[in-house]
Amino acid sequence: MPSSGGVVATPVAAPTAGAILQLVRNGRAATRADVARATGLSRSTVSLRVDALLAGGYLVERGDEPSTGGRPPTRLAFDAGAGVVLAADLGATHGRLAVTDLEAQPLAEEPIELPIAEGPDVVLPYVQDRFKELLDEVGKTPTDVRGIGIGVPGPVEYAVGRAISPPIMPGWDGVQIPDRMGERFPGVPVLVDNDVNIMALGDYWTYFRSDVDDLLYVKVATGIGCGVIAGGKVHRGAQGTAGDLGHVRPSEAPDVVCHCGNQGCVEAVASGSALARELTELGFPATGSRDVVALVRAGQPEAVRLVRRAGRQLGEVLAAAVNLFNPLVIVIGGDLAHAHEQLLAGVREVVYQRSTALATRHLQIVRSRLDDRAGVVGAAVTVIEDILSPEAVDRDLAARRGAPS
Ligand SMILES: [Zn+2]
């Protein structure tokens, strides 16, 4: 019997229909025979569960399996076109919106120039309007929407989607973003997370998930933040503030007052806004990260010197994180990563010097490959991993069985 190569290392603990969908999505099973081998279930039980997934619109069957003789087995495939996800990455000064399929592939996507400080009464209606127009562009309606993922540049109570005292988001404190989105997209799950967490998930899911478990994603832009992927999942910590490296003080940092109230935080001395201010004082006017990068690209020696210094200061903070957490990959993203030669050189110099040899033996420090798109991809992935989790799929199928037909 020809097999599609779904080689199985470990048996599935609870081989429910939801777990079977996961096997197909992960490429571990592509036929009913693969599923039987992976789960240890009988052919008849596999058929019952696969039929439920087919009826639920999660899987489709395709008869195009190449054969070495005999009747080819029907191939099972995840139906990524069975719905769409709306994704928003709302940054401090600009962001990006997308409509994606259920594999986080964009169907329509656009950058937006809208400061988060405009407040929820301006930003959320704008995002809702643009989502409707993007759906129109791709010939979809709100009934096709399976979930909405939103990243915001501040601390979030993830379970309920509420921003908590976000320092650069005036007017957003305590706002229940899912309730507000639900006014225009009723009944659709809305997940809200800190923008750095979703960026970390975007890059991780797209490029690293098959062979990396532990990764740090550092965003260097208006502020400095870090998303932690531990054991393949976003690690939020007890209060959801895990990864808030921006308020660690590097040695020899000047006494610049940070918006958190302390002095010399790495965010206050090495972020895009900090460097822009310093360059302006030196006679090279800059209003933010993008201007700093433009000066670096133009070869302005003071800008190059300051970005290298920022990289070393960031590297000092990251060296401690490397010793504590032992990641395999550090991804550097955010606008200031566009000055990558200088910034990454500074980071690498200090991380490799200050971290233990064992912790850095296989450590890679790389620039974000998704770059400006990391946030929307991660916002979509946040939703997809939630609505397609084995538990969610099993709940949905049970509800369908219980519903009158
Ligand atoms: Zn601070």
Side-chain angles (χ1 to χ4, degrees):
M1 177 70 78
S3 161
S4 59
V7 179
V8 174
T10 48
V12 177
T16 63
I20 290 170
L21 176 65
Q22 203 77 339
L23 290 174
V24 176
R25 286 180 64 219
N26 292 344
R28 285 182 59 194
T31 64
R32 288 166 194 248
D34 290 341
V35 174
R37 270 192 297 276
T39 58
L41 293 174
S42 69
R43 290 290 184 100
S44 58
T45 307
V46 168
S47 277
L48 275 175
R49 292 181 187 171
V50 166
D51 287 346
L53 290 166
L54 291 166
Y58 291 102
L59 291 181
V60 290
E61 278 186 306
R62 295 188 182 126
D64 58 0
E65 176 71 7
S67 176
T68 54
R71 193 169 68 87
T74 309
R75 194 179 179 83
L76 300 170
F78 170 59
D79 188 3
V84 297
V85 169
L86 302 177
D89 172 25
L90 305 177
T93 57
H94 55 279
R96 186 171 283 262
L97 305 177
V99 179
T100 78
D101 69 10
L102 298 179
E103 279 173 339
Q105 292 300 312
L107 306 173
E109 188 173 320
E110 67 178 20
I112 55 169
E113 295 292 330
L114 182 63
I116 196 87
E118 294 283 326
D121 295 336
V122 172
V123 173
L124 292 179
Y126 176 81
V127 169
Q128 290 165 341
D129 287 345
R130 292 305 308 151
F131 274 158
K132 288 256 165 125
E133 283 165 39
L134 289 174
L135 284 170
D136 282 348
E137 275 178 33
V138 298
K140 301 288 183 185
T141 70
T143 57
D144 296 310
V145 177
R146 299 285 303 276
I148 302 174
I150 299 178
V152 296
V156 172
E157 193 179 340
Y158 177 73
V160 293
R162 180 169 53 202
I164 316 161
S165 310
I168 60 168
M169 295 170 61
W172 291 83
D173 187 24
V175 170
Q176 300 268 9
I177 297 170
D179 291 355
R180 299 285 291 271
M181 294 304 291
E183 292 163 8
R184 292 278 291 278
F185 297 94
V188 175
V190 181
L191 296 176
V192 184
D193 204 349
N194 175 265
D195 62 347
V196 188
N197 285 347
I198 65 162
M199 293 166 95
L201 189 59
D203 256 78
Y204 176 75
W205 200 82
T206 307
Y207 296 112
F208 299 104
R209 68 181 148 143
S210 61
D211 44 25
V212 174
D213 288 330
D214 304 302
L215 170 149
L216 295 177
Y217 181 101
V218 185
K219 178 189 180 189
V220 191
T222 304
I224 292 178
C226 175
V228 180
I229 302 287
K233 296 202 170 347
V234 175
H235 176 78
R236 297 189 174 83
Q239 304 299 326
T241 69
D244 205 353
L245 287 179
H247 303 285
V248 177
R249 181 173 191 163
S251 59
E252 296 172 30
D255 290 336
V256 178
V257 177
C258 179
H259 60 79
C260 75
N262 287 320
Q263 292 186 329
C265 298
V266 69
E267 176 165 304
V269 298
S271 64
S273 51
L275 298 188
R277 193 184 53 242
E278 206 171 334
L279 282 167
T280 303
E281 284 165 7
L282 290 169
F284 306 100
T287 58
S289 306
R290 290 168 171 179
D291 292 345
V292 175
V293 170
L295 285 167
V296 169
R297 287 194 169 155
Q300 210 298 314
E302 284 298 313
V304 171
R305 178 181 69 81
L306 292 186
V307 168
R308 281 295 282 257
R309 188 197 68 194
R312 287 194 300 273
Q313 288 169 323
L314 186 60
E316 192 181 333
V317 172
L318 282 172
V322 166
N323 287 340
L324 177 73
F325 177 62
N326 190 17
L328 190 56
V329 178
I330 296 177
V331 179
I332 309 284
D335 280 342
L336 211 61
H338 293 168
H340 53 109
E341 293 299 327
Q342 279 74 19
L343 187 73
L344 264 71
V347 170
R348 288 192 180 110
E349 178 188 327
V350 179
V351 167
Y352 288 115
Q353 180 190 334
R354 293 286 194 93
S355 305
T356 66
L358 194 55
T360 54
R361 181 179 291 172
H362 300 293
L363 177 68
Q364 305 169 51
I365 301 175
V366 297
R367 187 182 154 192
S368 169
R369 284 161 74 185
L370 284 178
D371 197 18
D372 290 346
R373 301 192 55 246
V376 279
V377 173
V381 170
T382 300
V383 171
I384 291 165
E385 291 292 276
D386 186 76
I387 61 176
L388 296 179
S389 69
E391 302 75 27
V393 170
D394 290 332
R395 267 198 311 276
D396 178 50
L397 294 177
R400 285 165 192 261
R401 277 198 302 276
S405 55

